[in-house]
């Protein structure tokens, strides 16, 4: 497809960025809908993140996605952020407005909930406590989405307890911060377990947790998608728990940004899933 001088341009900023599947994903949609546009990866040093974000309108960008480690800087840099982004404390999607101002939001929570709707449509937030591992930006988004869906108890477990406590302070009494040493016992009577840490991801150490206390009907999900079936998901599936990998969250969190930048509400299809999985070798 030929790109004209009038093309809408967006991208993804990160450090590193070579692992990102977002250019492949958005590129598929641009070709699928015949849109005159481009979506490019941008390797941005953390020291330059704020200045690059502020320069986006001057360079003619429609907006950008923001990934690790720039999400918190993005929130501090945009001119306006929605309530969800402020509650979470980070931005992963920036829109350049016609007047040159920057608006930010977070779509991670939306993507997470959509992944559950697709793969576990019978799950209900009232079914029981949720256990979330990790206290980074993605964890905040997942916790906020669970609360919005109606969860009455979110057990947040993190290696550094004070970070989990900070998330609990920001999101309210529904979130209970627990030390990492309590991660096994936290699974008692849980209805869903969500791993938001990088443990289990290719190139990272495995997640060390026993699932012995986890009810057999509890859903286990991992936001990591390299590999699709992490050791955690394999262990959960082996004992009969329903599992959800991180690919669906990736696909659905991209939808709002694409709609903002390119004026088309995209659809996640089986063809798209197969195309993205090809890049993962699965």
């Amino acid at each position: 497809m030929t790109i004209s001088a009038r093309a809408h341009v967006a991208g993804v900023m990160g450090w590193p960025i070579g692992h990102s599947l977002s250019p492949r994903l958005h590129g598929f949609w641009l070709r699928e809908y015949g849109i005159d546009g481009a979506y490019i990866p941008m390797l941005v040093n953390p020291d330059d993140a704020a200045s690059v974000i502020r320069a986006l309108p001057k360079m003619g960008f429609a907006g950008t996605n923001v990934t690790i480690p720039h999400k918190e800087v993005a929130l501090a840099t945009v001119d306006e952020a929605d309530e969800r982004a402020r509650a979470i404390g980070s931005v992963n999607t920036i829109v350049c407005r016609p007047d040159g101002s920057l608006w930010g939001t977070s779509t991670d929570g939306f993507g997470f909930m959509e992944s559950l709707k697709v793969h576990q449509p019978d799950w209900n937030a009232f079914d029981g406590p949720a256990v979330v591992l990790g206290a980074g930006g993605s964890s905040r988004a997942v916790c906020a989405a669970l609360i919005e869906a109606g969860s009455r108890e979110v057990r947040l477990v993190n290696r550094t307890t004070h970070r989990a406590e900070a998330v609990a302070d920001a999101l309210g009494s529904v979130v209970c911060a627990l030390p990492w040493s309590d991660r096994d016992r936290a699974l008692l009577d849980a209805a869903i377990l969500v791993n938001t840490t990088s443990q289990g991801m290719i190139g990272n150490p495995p997640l060390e947790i026993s699932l012995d206390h986890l009810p057999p009907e509890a859903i286990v999900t991992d936001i990591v998608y390299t590999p699709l079936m992490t050791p955690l998901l394999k262990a959960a599936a082996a004992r009969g728990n329903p599992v959800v990998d991180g690919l669906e969250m990736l696909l659905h969190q991209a939808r709002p940004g694409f709609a903002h930048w390119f004026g088309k509400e995209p659809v996640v299809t089986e063809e798209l899933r197969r195309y993205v999985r090809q890049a993962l070798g699965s």
Side-chain angles (χ1 to χ4, degrees), residues 55-107:
L56 290 171
K58 297 178 182 178
M59 295 187 295
F61 273 71
T64 188
N65 281 131
V66 182
T67 189
I68 296 173
H70 303 322
K71 292 184 178 183
E72 293 181 1
V73 171
L75 175 63
T77 305
V78 296
D79 299 293
E80 184 182 352
D82 65 9
E83 184 177 349
R84 178 177 287 109
R86 293 194 302 271
I88 293 169
S90 66
V91 156
N92 80 332
T93 302
I94 296 174
V95 176
C96 300
R97 290 166 163 168
D99 64 0
S101 64
L102 300 169
W103 177 81
T105 187
S106 174
T107 64

Side-chain angles (χ1 to χ4, degrees), residues 76-269:
T77 305
V78 296
D79 299 293
E80 184 182 352
D82 65 9
E83 184 177 349
R84 178 177 287 109
R86 293 194 302 271
I88 293 169
S90 66
V91 156
N92 80 332
T93 302
I94 296 174
V95 176
C96 300
R97 290 166 163 168
D99 64 0
S101 64
L102 300 169
W103 177 81
T105 187
S106 174
T107 64
D108 285 335
F110 169 80
F112 171 72
M113 294 307 301
E114 289 296 301
S115 73
L116 290 182
K117 289 179 183 178
V118 170
H119 291 291
Q120 298 296 329
D122 294 331
W123 174 80
N124 191 303
F126 296 103
D127 290 343
V131 178
V132 178
L133 306 178
S138 295
S139 170
R140 283 177 175 250
V142 167
C143 288
L146 288 167
I147 294 169
E148 189 174 330
S151 288
R152 295 167 179 170
E153 181 183 0
V154 178
R155 300 167 184 169
L156 181 59
V157 189
N158 192 55
R159 287 188 178 276
T160 308
T161 307
H162 74 83
R163 290 199 67 182
E165 291 171 342
V167 176
D169 290 342
L171 296 181
S173 60
V174 172
V175 180
C176 174
L178 299 172
W180 191 248
S181 59
D182 285 353
R183 63 192 182 281
D184 295 346
R185 290 190 297 274
L187 302 180
L188 282 166
D189 73 0
I192 185 169
L193 166 63
V194 188
N195 178 37
T196 71
T197 76
S198 60
Q199 294 175 48
M201 186 176 179
I202 292 175
N204 288 276
L207 174 64
E208 295 182 358
I209 188 171
S210 170
L211 301 180
D212 290 347
H213 295 308
L214 187 69
E217 68 277 6
I219 296 169
V220 179
T221 180
D222 202 323
I223 69 169
V224 166
Y225 55 83
T226 52
L228 276 180
M229 283 297 287
T230 62
L232 171 65
L233 296 185
K234 288 181 179 178
R239 67 193 301 273
N241 289 90
V243 301
V244 179
D245 63 48
L247 179 62
E248 204 73 27
M249 176 176 169
L250 169 74
L251 301 180
H252 286 280
Q253 63 81 30
R255 286 167 45 203
F258 189 93
H260 279 297
W261 305 321
F262 302 113
K264 173 72 176 180
E265 185 69 44
V267 177
V268 174
T269 62

